[in-house]
Amino acid sequence: MKKTHDPTSSPSGIELHKMLFNPYSLYGKTGLDDAIGGAMTTPLGKYDQYFTTELTEHLFEKAQDLLHDRPCGLDLVSLNIQRGRDHGLPSYPHWRRHCRLPPVDTWDQLEKVVDAGSYQQMRKIYGEPENVDVYSGALSEPPVEGGVVGPLITCLLADQFLRLKQGDSFWYERRRGPQRFTRDQLRQIYNTRLSSIICRNSDAITQSPVYLMRKVNREDNPELPCSQLDTFDFSVFRERKNADSRRVKLATAQVGVVVQPSSSTGVSTNSSTAGTTTEGLTTTTTTTSTSMTSDNMLV
């Protein structure tokens, strides 16, 4: 990666193994901006199944190793394969079936979904397709159209992010609950790009491509000044007191938090009745909650 945010600087940079556990360069006056800008101006290599030697030979490498006469690094690919086996992950064909992708239960089927070089290596290393590690198989798939990873990794990533979204009670797009955003606030969030976030939070970066993760293109993805990219409107997030708006109180009940309109002033007491039936026996529970208006403390 390049050491500076200057787009006209030399393409020479710093190796990955010299960056890990070495945060001291960030402590300089322009250290953080140089690191971010260097990542922005370093072109991304085309996706394939091969890994750089920085990850396969020099991972966590130290200049002086107590156990060897010369520097010795780790192999990230071997580590990830072993992690999968330690955790008992099913094999590659199993995950293909899980994602409802065409099966790879035979060598003929496997040959159709992975690249030729990886297929030949798998036939030498694994006795049967059922023995192929999911990490090896998934990385051997060609990328999907418009993507950077293959079908299986695309499926697993989508499944994970969907669970994170639906399982988070404070997800920003939720329509219920006191933490929900207004339409104007959501519009500002939807219009936010990574380039605008970097422009807003950096000191020395003055321009950026509109879509930071894509290749610079004068027509579809030009570099623009930060003044044109950072257009976030914070005013819609300010809390305003409207004279004719109804006050809202939070009443705690057995079912959770309920949002309901309150009276104009004073303290109000609400009662809720919850009934449960078990094998013909009906039990009625009455819960009383006391709350105060927004001008007072919630009890």
Side-chain angles (χ1 to χ4, degrees):
M1 188 183 76
K2 295 172 66 173
K3 296 181 180 181
T4 175
H5 65 276
D6 184 0
T8 62
S9 64
S10 170
S12 61
I14 183 173
E15 294 87 351
L16 177 64
H17 73 276
K18 294 181 180 180
M19 296 171 55
L20 300 178
F21 304 111
N22 182 26
Y24 304 106
S25 61
L26 301 177
Y27 298 162
K29 184 177 180 180
T30 61
L32 188 58
D33 286 336
D34 286 341
I36 296 176
M40 292 169 56
T41 56
T42 301
L44 179 67
K46 185 178 180 180
Y47 171 84
D48 55 37
Q49 73 276 24
Y50 302 104
F51 283 75
T52 173
T53 55
E54 285 294 310
L55 295 176
T56 59
E57 297 180 9
H58 303 288
L59 184 66
F60 305 141
E61 180 181 284
K62 297 181 180 180
Q64 295 180 351
D65 196 299
L66 299 178
L67 301 178
H68 305 84
D69 296 334
R70 57 187 178 84
C72 181
L74 300 179
D75 181 359
L76 179 63
V77 178
S78 298
L79 288 174
N80 287 342
I81 292 175
Q82 189 60 47
R83 286 168 180 163
R85 296 176 180 179
D86 290 342
H87 287 280
L89 294 182
S91 62
Y92 173 56
H94 170 89
W95 290 106
R96 292 276 302 188
R97 293 190 294 269
H98 171 78
C99 288
R100 295 182 174 85
L101 296 171
V104 289
D105 298 323
T106 66
W107 288 118
D108 291 338
Q109 293 174 337
L110 184 64
E111 186 178 14
K112 298 177 182 178
V113 299
V114 300
D115 68 279
S118 298
Y119 172 76
Q120 296 299 330
Q121 292 293 330
M122 289 179 186
R123 294 213 62 165
K124 294 178 181 178
I125 297 174
Y126 300 101
E128 297 293 337
E130 188 63 29
N131 297 331
V132 176
D133 294 283
V134 59
Y135 189 77
S136 302
L139 291 176
S140 301
E141 297 178 348
V144 297
E145 184 178 357
V148 294
V149 293
L152 180 57
I153 296 182
T154 299
C155 166
L156 297 178
L157 288 176
D159 179 71
Q160 181 64 67
F161 277 96
L162 181 63
R163 293 172 186 271
L164 289 172
K165 175 181 178 179
Q166 294 181 344
D168 186 356
S169 59
F170 290 97
W171 182 259
Y172 73 96
E173 290 178 306
R174 284 192 175 271
R175 302 297 185 183
R176 297 180 179 179
Q179 81 284 356
R180 66 188 184 278
F181 289 109
T182 65
R183 291 185 178 180
D184 290 337
Q185 292 170 341
L186 286 174
R187 188 176 296 110
Q188 291 298 318
I189 296 175
Y190 291 149
N191 291 335
T192 298
R193 302 184 181 93
L194 179 59
S195 56
S196 64
I197 295 177
I198 290 179
C199 282
R200 188 182 312 134
N201 293 278
S202 59
D203 298 319
I205 296 178
T206 58
Q207 62 182 18
S208 169
V210 178
Y211 302 101
L212 199 57
M213 304 303 292
R214 299 180 184 177
K215 188 176 181 180
V216 178
N217 186 298
R218 290 185 177 180
E219 297 180 358
D220 302 327
N221 190 30
E223 286 198 15
L224 297 178
C226 283
S227 58
Q228 299 182 29
L229 295 173
D230 185 14
T231 58
F232 196 87
D233 183 12
F234 286 94
S235 63
V236 297
F237 291 87
R238 295 194 183 101
E239 294 185 358
R240 294 186 176 91
K241 292 185 178 181
N242 195 344
D244 59 351
S245 65
R246 295 182 302 173
R247 296 173 179 169
V248 175
K249 67 178 180 179
L250 298 178
T252 305
Q254 284 183 332
V255 295
V257 178
V258 180
V259 178
Q260 57 185 7
S262 69
S263 58
S264 58
T265 59
V267 180
S268 61
T269 302
N270 303 291
S271 298
S272 61
T273 302
T276 57
T277 303
T278 305
E279 296 182 355
L281 178 62
T282 303
T283 303
T284 303
T285 304
T286 302
T287 302
T288 301
S289 62
T290 303
S291 64
M292 304 182 71
T293 62
S294 57
D295 294 337
N296 301 282
M297 181 185 299
L298 179 65
V299 179

